[in-house]
Amino acid sequence: MEFDWLFLVRVLLSLVVVLGLAVVLLRFGLPRISGLQVNRETRLQLIELRPLDRQHKLALVRARDSQLLLGLGDGRVTLLQTWPDGALPAPAPARDTAAAGRTDFAGARAEIGP
């Protein structure tokens, strides 16, 4: 039985063509079809997302000229606070509550205040 080299070359060329078309479609065609524009300036940006527990999260979002603090959970989104863009204070450095003698949540919460 003789090995058919021509068949192997055809299969490899077909594979290269199919992979090339897939790359072109994913790179250029799919964003146009789905309405996404890769280099477009977005008006909505997720700045930070923090889990509170297994079902609830806090999200800091920039929308146009505002920053929004959103509560996420139980299938709902709740607006908690709004700031003008740039008015949000810089994050405070992390404190070592254990070194300060506060290892329980209630004690740390009491230090922060209402």
Side-chain angles (χ1 to χ4, degrees):
M1 185 164 146
E2 184 178 313
F3 188 72
D4 190 3
W5 288 99
L6 185 58
F7 176 74
L8 181 62
V9 169
R10 285 183 185 168
V11 168
L12 290 176
L13 285 176
S14 299
L15 182 62
V16 168
V17 168
V18 168
L19 290 176
L21 287 174
V23 168
V24 169
L25 179 66
L26 289 174
R27 176 70 174 108
F28 300 108
L30 194 59
R32 259 192 211 133
I33 292 170
S34 65
L36 295 174
Q37 294 179 358
V38 176
N39 294 331
R40 189 177 85 182
E41 184 177 324
T42 60
R43 292 179 289 185
L44 187 65
Q45 179 184 15
L46 178 64
I47 299 171
E48 194 169 338
L49 184 65
R50 293 289 173 121
L52 299 176
D53 58 30
R54 295 185 72 181
Q55 298 172 347
H56 300 90
K57 297 177 184 176
L58 284 177
L60 183 60
V61 176
R62 178 177 293 129
R64 295 188 185 209
D65 57 351
S66 299
Q67 292 186 12
L68 313 169
L69 182 62
L70 304 174
L72 311 173
D74 299 327
R76 299 179 354 169
V77 177
T78 305
L79 178 63
L80 301 174
Q81 183 73 35
T82 304
W83 297 275
D85 196 20
L88 189 64
R95 297 184 329 186
D96 186 6
T97 57
R102 300 284 187 190
T103 56
D104 60 316
F105 178 75
R109 180 72 179 115
E111 279 186 10
I112 294 171

